Amino acid sequence: METFLDLWAAYGSTVTFAMVNALFALSTYAVLSTGVLSFTTVVFAAVGGFLAAQLSGKFGLPLWAAFPAAALGGGFAAAVVAFAFLRLESHWMALASLALVLITRVTALNAPALTGGVNGLIVPVRVEPLELAILLALCTVVFWRLHRSWFGLASRAVREDAAVASTMGISPYRIQFIAFLISGVVGGLGGAALAFTLQFISPETYFIGIAFTMIASTVLGGSFHWLGPIIGAAVFTALPTTMQAIVPQIEDVAKGVVLLLIMIFLPRGLIDPRAWGLKKAAKLREETEAKRAAERDAHA
Amino acid sequence: MSKASAAARTLRGVLAGAAALAIGYAGTAAAAPAAGEYGVGFITENTGPLAAAGVSYHRGAQLAVDEINEGAWIGQGVKLKLNEKESGSDAARAVQALTQFSADRNVIAVTCCILSPVAAALKPVTTNAKLPLVIYGATLPGLPQPPYVTSVVGLPGPQEVKMSKMLAETLKPKTVAYFVNADNEGFQNRFKAAQKVMEEAGVKTAGVVSILSADTDFTAPATQAMATNPDLIMVWTTQTPAAGIIAALRARGYAGKISASDVISPAPVFKKIGAALAGVPFPIVFSSEISSSPEAKKFVEGYTKKFGEAPDTYSAQGYTSLYLIAQAMKSLDGKPSREDLAAALGKASAVEYNIYGGLPMVNGQAEVQNSLVAAWTADGKVVRWENK
Amino acid sequence: MRDAGSLLVLDQVVKTFGGVAAVGGLTAHVRQGSVHGLIGPNGAGKTTVINLITGLFHPSAGSIRFNGAKLEAMAPQDIAATGISRTYQNVRLFSGMTALEQVMTGCYLRRGVSLWSSFLGLPAASSAWRSTREQALHLLDRVAMAHRADELAETLSYGEQRRIEIARALGSDPKLLLLDEPTAGMNHSEAEAVGRLVHELRDAGLTILMVEHNMSLVTAFCDSCTVMNFGRLLAEGDPKTCIADPAVQEAYFGRKNDADRIQALR
Amino acid sequence: MQLFVEQLINGWALGSLYALFGIGFGLVFSTLGILNAAHGTYASWAAIAGYYAVERFGVPFPVAIAAGVIGGGLLAVVVDQIGFQPLRAKKTGMLGALITSIAFWIILDSLAGFATGQQSLAFPAASYPNQMVVMGPLRVPQMQIITIVALLVCTIGIHLLIQKTRIGAAMRAVGWNEVAAALGGVNARMVILLTAFLAGATSGLAGVLGGISTSNVSFTLGEGLMLKGFAAVVVGGYDDVRGTAIAGICLGIIEVFVAQYISTSFRDGFTYMLLLAFLIARPRGLFGSASFVRA
């Protein structure tokens, strides 16, 4: 029992951050699974994070009231972003969303009344790992349902070939707009979760670091199934801790190399339903051939 | 977790600590912690934007641990062991490192942080974990919160005021232009303190040029400051901008007086900028070439031997943080708990062994008494500044 | 007058790309309940016409009318909702989806429930999902692919993929089906099967517009046809008559230099 | 008036650095379709290469520049071949390459930290032209003139290369569609290597010039250039070097003037608001060609 407690104490924070990062990754996955590469999760996270921090700090809102507020804030920001950005061509969309991340930081830095400016904000409320696990589980259920619904099917179609999907009556704009709303809500929750975990946030908290963590987690885990971002976030969060334990001197280099190797050898990520399908097909072919050979033998 | 129970626990900790201290105090002469190796968590910043300073802090701490162990400074058989974890000046990574330290039963105290926001992020975590934290670098007022959070870094203010008065008297400038970090509250405070002194002395503000920490090109700000035609330019910014600004001012042909802060004191800054730094006064509390107390000399000697270069103001702070922890250890009996150690740290009225010629502590915050005004010579030595 | 029995009417449709007219004022009529061939040499603009009808391109000038609706300014998904469905010259199935999922996606328009209730998994939505699944399986059966329903479409042979694409296009229960070279890359018996399917569909009341290269298949499959060259109408009417037209003959077989030039332009 | 003109030149020189960097970044984006997070490190490493060439071997100024330029180019080629080439066959699109570029960014940035001993280094004052050129009442540093001229030469050179030569046509073809380019007889591999080298070399030039004139050779160098170079590429339109050059210069001048006449706090905000305005109002950028037709 004691060993377990020690282990939890040592790696508990890694688990906690993995769960927060999983929320960011899911938010990115929400839009990526409809074929949109967007870094705006960071923006939604900032909105959710500062909103939750201010509500709990200034107005004494409890945790479970602050989370829905953060989700709403993130969702609203997402609606605005989607309205402005969805008509851009995909490459521009990626650039525009990255630019928006930079703008968000500058804006946050220059609005100290809302964000504490360079000095940041102390967040008086803390989220327990169990509460975080419940939040993540709730989000996961949503993504699981989405995956198995008409929206899931339509979003896969839009991602693979938006033009073809549109000639089947699926409006890519509508699907991607909904995806942005989901991304905003989950991103806002993630931002609040990060605020309640760190208990201190500043404009630097919601910056390029998160953008790359979430996109790397999503792609690493696999962006073709909701399980991918969650697994990816766990791996990507544990990576620095592991590297620190193994090669403390060149921790960052080692982290980069591992990321590189995974991408080169598993470019579609760790969780890839298509690869399972391909494997199944290969197996089926083998069996058919074996059967045919057996039949030939029987005839001979 | 409810706040009430946390507060209750904190209170219990404090009471227990106070009780332990009272017992310890009663028999100071007899106090000796049980022999053994005690871990001190050191959150390094050897990579990331502040790595240059981070390496110095780390080295100072390493040297202190060596000295403390070799001389059996705490007591016979009592040794400290530095456990390092890297944060890269990132708050999230620092929090992760701290929680890992708190899980390691062998770690009795942690020392950390150059950036105030990172220190602020660690405060609630360390208080929750009841793990004493000594801040070695961050200088935002209000960071220390005894017993769990203490700081060995003097707040800026007095040194800047002292130097500004000196400059106002000796240089007698009519106008001053200031460079200030728009995104660093510590330097804004230093700037305001200096400006107040100058204006009280009847020196007009010719202009204030603000820059950002991440800036690298200072040609335009230099042009802007020079256009105000000041008698003196005061540079209140973080290290890289300060070095860049002075280089740019000299490169553009500014021949007037410049002053700066202790950020330009480390040797690599001179190596980088060279003679342009010569004669630029800066306030400093420790200089390997000027500080002359026996403790300072021993520090410089040991450091130079171990690392092949002279220590700077950052290594001095890293060094001091370990001595404060050792001092608190020394006052405890038996196998010290984290709570006991925190209480001892919170109660400390001074860092007894220091290289500053005295370093009192008030409410867990070190206060600088003795500061000097120094400057680089053209051939790379730090000397007391004189108006030439 | 001729518009009267026509389900689809193209009237002076023009499409230019950077000043070059891919379609230059084409007028064509597709009669309700017929199999209509759209033929012409490579680069004649046939696929562009299909793209214009389905809204992937918008005409630079002219109008397209379908069943009383004016399509030229509509978005592809709205055009699909009026009852037009299509396949592609180079099969464009969705990567990573099984054959059944492809066809299910094709059934999107007649799923019968809102995205929201489908997400919540309401009983009505679940039963609608099941019945749509049945329909999709039925469509797969219709193109003789039911036994491959749960396999990744991309692992199947080219001919099989084409058949799945046709099943997918039928998923939306269209009034007009546009087939872009449905027999390309198929052997004779496979092509025959497609021909039979096309006639069955027509007899069930569907109107079909197909781009076809093979002249003998055109005469075998189509009730009427439109011949294009250089984005313009060359001939229209009965397939046999059209093909016998000297202009058509020349476009296809004569003036080899031109054909080469067109090839080069592509 | 004198201040105005001096600041104009300061901004122009600063913007020229952004533009030079942006040209490299934009080349990779438009031709190879890669959003390269590691691009900033090419500039850092070019400056480091130039610095050590001076520090260790005492080479003259032009050789130091050449060392940086070639170093940046070679690094870009190595990163491309290790990180991006294996993904091309697997058709992972922009995403896969983005992740490997993040990996390289982490690796190269951290190695750059080691290479400079975590310090910010500076070229010795004697190793480069550090005098002021006096033009009437104006005094302009020599490095600013060199930077401005370097951008001019690179912009014209690369523009002509892309628009007027066979190689350039091949680069445009690859940017349009790699498969089509391969079928059309273009050796796509060669074009990729050449583009990567050219992009790395241009950004490397920005790195080494910036490292000299700002007295800052460290891993932070590339990061700073990256953010502003990125802005220049977006405002200028990523498939036209002239747009990037003009946008970069404008951004530099605006930045300096906002700091001089309004406030430093608004400086970056101003740049990024401009960026956002362009993205929404004119996503093609200043010179960008009309968006492609895709069906």
Side-chain angles (χ1 to χ4, degrees):
Chain A
M1 190 62 200
E2 191 141 280
T3 352
F4 175 75
L5 283 179
D6 276 1
L7 265 180
W8 171 254
Y11 295 102
S13 77
T14 308
V15 175
T16 310
F17 280 106
M19 289 194 285
V20 174
N21 285 341
L23 289 174
F24 292 138
L26 279 174
S27 162
T28 311
Y29 165 79
V31 280
L32 200 55
S33 62
T34 61
V36 177
L37 171 58
S38 160
F39 295 93
T40 44
T41 288
V42 182
V43 181
F44 310 148
V47 171
F50 284 114
L51 198 62
Q54 291 286 16
L55 286 178
S56 61
K58 284 217 180 104
F59 303 100
L61 231 60
L63 196 70
W64 290 103
F67 270 126
L72 274 179
F76 178 74
V80 176
V81 168
F83 181 76
F85 281 8
L86 262 181
R87 52 206 186 79
L88 299 179
E89 190 253 336
S90 72
H91 273 44
W92 283 114
M93 175 81 208
L95 291 189
S97 66
L98 205 51
L100 198 61
V101 173
L102 306 182
I103 293 164
T104 304
R105 175 173 160 275
V106 174
T107 313
L109 276 173
N110 287 300
L114 299 175
T115 64
V118 282
N119 293 319
L121 285 178
I122 302 272
V123 186
V125 185
R126 199 165 94 96
V127 64
E128 292 299 320
L130 185 64
E131 294 168 321
L132 208 52
I134 293 170
L135 184 69
L136 180 60
L138 281 175
C139 290
T140 309
V141 169
V142 169
F143 277 89
W144 168 71
R145 278 304 316 166
L146 282 172
H147 189 75
R148 291 172 50 88
S149 77
W150 278 106
F151 177 81
L153 208 53
S155 65
R156 284 163 74 191
V158 168
R159 177 196 195 154
E160 292 301 337
D161 198 330
V164 172
S166 72
T167 63
M168 291 162 44
I170 301 170
S171 161
Y173 182 85
R174 181 158 175 245
I175 295 294
Q176 290 173 344
F177 198 95
I178 296 173
F180 257 104
L181 291 184
I182 297 166
S183 172
V185 167
V186 179
L189 286 175
L194 184 64
F196 292 136
T197 304
L198 284 176
Q199 291 194 264
F200 170 84
I201 54 172
S202 78
E204 305 294 335
T205 313
Y206 303 98
F207 199 40
I208 301 284
I210 290 192
F212 286 135
T213 304
M214 81 208 183
I215 206 97
S217 298
T218 311
V219 179
L220 190 65
S223 56
F224 296 88
H225 192 274
W226 51 265
L227 197 55
I230 298 174
I231 303 281
V235 173
F236 194 74
T237 313
L239 210 53
T241 319
T242 323
M243 290 304 146
Q244 191 155 35
I246 305 170
V247 279
Q249 296 307 314
I250 49 159
E251 179 191 337
D252 280 333
V253 179
K255 176 177 150 188
V257 170
V258 172
L259 188 59
L260 188 65
L261 291 177
I262 296 179
M263 271 324 288
I264 289 176
F265 291 106
L266 283 173
R268 284 171 61 99
L270 299 167
I271 306 288
D272 182 9
R274 179 171 165 267
W276 306 336
L278 289 177
K279 221 175 261 171
K280 187 178 141 196
K283 204 174 142 198
L284 212 66
R285 251 198 312 279
E286 239 168 57
E287 275 170 15
T288 342
E289 264 160 38
K291 210 187 279 172
R292 269 197 210 134
E295 274 167 20
R296 263 201 311 275
D297 290 348
H299 283 294
Chain B
M1 190 180 69
S2 79
K3 275 187 209 160
S5 77
R9 248 185 280 166
T10 313
L11 189 66
R12 268 204 306 279
V14 172
L15 288 177
L21 189 76
I23 297 163
Y25 220 74
T28 307
E37 195 178 62
Y38 298 90
V40 175
F42 191 98
I43 300 180
T44 53
E45 300 185 31
N46 292 345
T47 64
L50 301 168
V55 171
S56 282
Y57 283 109
H58 186 200
R59 287 179 170 179
Q62 285 173 320
L63 177 68
V65 167
D66 287 356
E67 284 183 9
I68 290 164
N69 289 347
E70 276 162 28
W73 197 83
I74 303 176
Q76 272 311 316
V78 184
K79 296 209 163 181
L80 294 183
K81 183 175 182 297
L82 213 53
N83 292 358
E84 292 97 344
K85 283 194 193 300
E86 176 65 27
S87 78
S89 303
D90 175 53
R93 278 176 76 184
V95 168
Q96 267 178 308
L98 185 69
T99 40
Q100 285 182 343
F101 282 137
S102 80
D104 187 340
R105 275 146 207 274
N106 202 27
V107 170
I108 51 158
V110 174
T111 174
C112 90
C113 307
I114 305 175
L115 285 181
S116 300
V118 177
L122 292 184
K123 252 174 83 169
V125 186
T126 203
T127 311
N128 266 325
K130 296 198 190 337
L131 178 62
L133 173 74
V134 178
I135 295 171
Y136 62 63
T139 56
L140 197 66
L143 276 180
Q145 197 175 42
Y148 287 108
V149 185
T150 47
S151 171
V152 295
V153 192
L155 295 180
Q159 310 98 289
E160 284 73 13
V161 168
K162 187 173 161 190
M163 180 179 82
S164 302
K165 278 183 181 152
M166 194 169 155
L167 293 180
E169 279 163 22
T170 50
L171 296 178
K172 300 195 173 51
K174 288 193 183 64
T175 56
V176 186
Y178 302 89
F179 278 95
V180 61
N181 251 93
D183 55 354
N184 185 309
E185 202 175 354
F187 279 98
Q188 283 182 343
N189 290 342
R190 296 188 200 194
F191 149 67
K192 280 175 197 150
Q195 192 186 31
K196 191 158 166 267
V197 172
M198 285 296 178
E199 293 197 334
E200 276 168 5
V203 184
K204 286 207 180 71
T205 301
V208 180
V209 181
S210 50
I211 55 93
L212 303 175
S213 308
D215 287 357
T216 51
D217 187 294
F218 299 102
T219 321
T223 310
Q224 191 179 348
M226 283 162 67
T228 65
N229 212 3
D231 297 327
L232 171 66
I233 295 180
M234 300 187 97
V235 182
W236 300 113
T237 71
T238 46
Q239 192 179 65
T240 308
I245 287 166
I246 296 169
L249 283 170
R250 294 296 187 217
R252 282 200 79 90
Y254 176 74
K257 296 285 180 193
I258 307 175
S259 82
S261 64
D262 61 355
V263 295
I264 65 163
S265 67
V269 179
F270 184 85
K271 184 168 179 285
K272 175 178 159 177
I273 303 300
L277 279 187
V280 173
F282 53 87
I284 193 162
V285 288
F286 166 80
S287 159
S288 62
E289 288 164 77
I290 307 176
S291 298
S292 55
S293 69
E295 290 92 345
K297 282 195 169 142
K298 185 182 170 211
F299 171 57
V300 173
E301 196 180 305
Y303 193 95
T304 314
K305 200 172 148 208
K306 189 169 164 82
F307 299 110
E309 60 180 42
D312 57 20
T313 171
Y314 306 129
S315 23
Q317 289 168 356
Y319 182 79
T320 310
S321 68
L322 262 291
Y323 266 104
L324 176 63
I325 292 170
Q327 171 190 331
M329 284 280 293
K330 208 173 179 177
S331 71
L332 299 175
D333 241 338
K335 193 166 165 50
S337 71
R338 290 172 176 178
E339 278 92 342
D340 299 344
L341 188 67
L345 283 167
K347 284 274 155 63
S349 60
V351 180
E352 284 158 15
Y353 184 88
N354 69 76
I355 51 182
Y356 301 106
L359 190 65
M361 305 257 314
V362 176
N363 279 333
Q365 168 72 62
E367 291 192 343
V368 173
Q369 282 181 321
N370 309 311
S371 69
L372 331 151
V373 177
W376 288 98
T377 61
D379 52 355
K381 289 196 170 54
V382 176
V383 294
R384 276 178 193 278
W385 177 78
E386 284 164 21
N387 182 23
K388 271 182 278 193
Chain C
M1 187 194 74
R2 287 191 53 201
D3 292 12
S6 300
L7 183 66
L8 177 76
V9 179
L10 277 72
D11 189 6
Q12 293 296 321
V13 172
V14 178
K15 178 66 188 176
T16 56
F17 292 111
V20 182
V23 177
L26 180 73
T27 299
H29 302 78
V30 177
R31 199 158 36 79
Q32 169 102 42
S34 69
V35 176
H36 190 94
L38 181 60
I39 58 182
N42 274 336
K46 302 178 300 272
T47 297
T48 308
V49 170
I50 301 283
N51 284 338
L52 287 167
I53 297 170
T54 51
L56 292 184
F57 295 159
H58 293 294
S60 313
S63 79
I64 303 172
R65 289 191 301 281
F66 170 74
N67 209 13
K70 291 168 82 73
L71 304 185
E72 58 269 13
M74 284 167 75
Q77 58 269 22
D78 301 329
I79 292 175
T82 65
I84 298 181
S85 184
R86 68 173 289 188
T87 67
Y88 296 83
Q89 188 177 0
N90 314 302
V91 181
R92 282 168 80 170
L93 289 171
F94 302 118
S95 172
M97 279 194 195
T98 64
L100 180 62
E101 284 169 337
Q102 309 270 357
V103 183
M104 288 280 284
T105 315
C107 296
Y108 182 81
L109 275 173
R110 55 165 167 174
R111 65 189 184 278
V113 292
S114 70
L115 291 181
W116 183 240
S117 62
S118 147
F119 164 69
L120 289 177
L122 301 176
S126 304
S127 76
W129 177 273
R130 275 196 300 278
S131 77
T132 314
R133 196 168 177 278
E134 288 306 313
Q135 284 167 356
L137 277 171
H138 176 71
L139 287 170
L140 275 176
D141 192 40
R142 195 143 191 198
V143 295
M145 286 303 300
H147 61 297
R148 288 288 168 87
D150 289 326
E151 286 176 44
L152 272 189
E154 60 214 273
T155 63
L156 304 176
S157 77
Y158 192 65
E160 289 174 321
Q161 293 192 18
R162 276 217 174 278
R163 273 151 45 197
I164 290 168
E165 203 184 28
I166 293 173
R168 184 179 71 179
L170 291 171
S172 62
D173 200 11
K175 294 191 189 72
L176 172 67
L177 177 62
L178 309 174
L179 299 175
D180 199 345
E181 300 198 19
T183 61
M186 286 187 177
N187 63 31
H188 190 69
S189 68
E190 283 176 320
E192 289 276 289
V194 170
R196 275 197 302 279
L197 177 66
V198 165
H199 284 155
E200 274 171 42
L201 292 169
R202 176 196 59 193
D203 296 344
L206 191 62
T207 308
I208 291 158
L209 173 65
M210 62 193 286
V211 173
E212 184 52 72
H213 234 55
N214 186 327
M215 287 299 167
S216 65
L217 290 179
V218 172
T219 41
F221 294 172
C222 299
D223 305 323
S224 56
C225 74
T226 299
V227 188
M228 287 177 74
N229 197 17
F230 294 114
R232 289 178 184 283
L233 182 68
L234 210 55
E236 191 175 29
D238 175 64
K240 286 200 180 99
T241 328
C242 281
I243 290 166
D245 192 315
V248 175
Q249 288 290 321
E250 185 181 302
Y252 264 87
F253 308 109
R255 295 250 213 98
K256 196 163 176 317
N257 291 349
D258 280 355
D260 287 348
R261 213 178 68 223
I262 298 158
Q263 193 74 36
L265 279 173
R266 259 159 63 98
Chain D
M1 187 61 204
Q2 185 194 343
L3 177 65
F4 181 86
V5 177
E6 278 184 350
Q7 291 291 42
L8 188 72
I9 295 170
N10 285 337
W12 189 350
L14 181 63
S16 295
L17 285 179
Y18 297 162
L20 260 183
F21 179 86
I23 286 174
F25 181 81
L27 262 182
V28 172
F29 191 63
S30 64
T31 307
L32 307 181
I34 294 168
L35 188 55
N36 186 358
H39 210 85
T41 62
Y42 302 167
S44 304
W45 273 100
I48 292 170
Y51 173 80
Y52 279 111
V54 169
E55 180 75 23
R56 293 279 153 82
F57 308 107
V59 300
F61 173 72
V63 180
I65 298 281
V69 169
I70 294 169
L74 289 181
L75 184 63
V77 168
V78 169
V79 168
D80 187 276
Q81 289 304 298
I82 297 177
F84 305 148
Q85 186 63 27
L87 298 177
R88 290 206 172 95
K90 296 178 181 168
K91 295 205 178 86
T92 57
M94 190 163 43
L95 261 182
L98 174 64
I99 306 300
T100 49
S101 79
I102 292 176
F104 268 109
W105 179 44
I106 297 173
I107 296 170
L108 291 174
D109 234 20
S110 142
L111 289 179
F114 289 124
T116 58
Q118 312 293 356
Q119 299 286 346
S120 156
L121 308 170
F123 282 74
S127 67
Y128 62 92
N130 65 345
Q131 301 302 307
M132 305 286 278
V133 178
V134 180
M135 293 188 270
L138 295 177
R139 295 158 56 82
V140 183
Q142 286 172 325
M143 278 309 292
Q144 289 194 341
I145 296 172
I146 292 172
T147 308
I148 289 169
V149 172
L151 173 68
L152 214 61
V153 171
C154 285
T155 307
I156 294 171
I158 294 175
H159 182 70
L160 291 181
L161 176 77
I162 292 177
Q163 298 299 332
K164 306 281 183 214
T165 66
R166 282 180 56 93
I167 279 282
M171 284 168 69
R172 275 178 293 152
V174 171
W176 182 259
N177 181 343
E178 201 189 320
V179 181
L183 290 176
V186 175
N187 186 340
R189 185 82 185 253
M190 267 317 291
V191 173
I192 289 169
L193 287 178
L194 183 76
T195 309
F197 183 85
L198 205 56
T202 320
S203 299
L205 180 60
V208 72
L209 288 175
I212 292 173
S213 52
T214 63
S215 307
N216 176 30
V217 176
S218 75
F219 65 94
T220 60
L221 172 70
E223 240 161 77
L225 281 175
M226 179 88 177
L227 294 181
K228 299 298 165 56
F230 167 76
V233 169
V234 174
V235 173
Y238 65 77
D239 45 6
D240 195 307
V241 290
R242 294 171 302 171
T244 309
I246 292 172
I249 294 171
C250 290
L251 284 178
I253 293 174
I254 289 170
E255 209 173 88
V256 167
F257 279 163
V258 170
Q260 166 80 46
Y261 296 110
I262 304 173
S263 157
T264 309
S265 322
F266 296 137
R267 192 192 64 196
D268 288 2
F270 217 90
T271 306
Y272 295 129
M273 285 320 286
L274 194 72
L275 181 60
L276 191 66
F278 258 89
L279 279 167
I280 290 172
R282 195 182 160 79
R284 314 199 291 274
L286 286 172
F287 284 89
S289 50
S291 55
F292 331 119
V293 183
R294 283 202 192 130

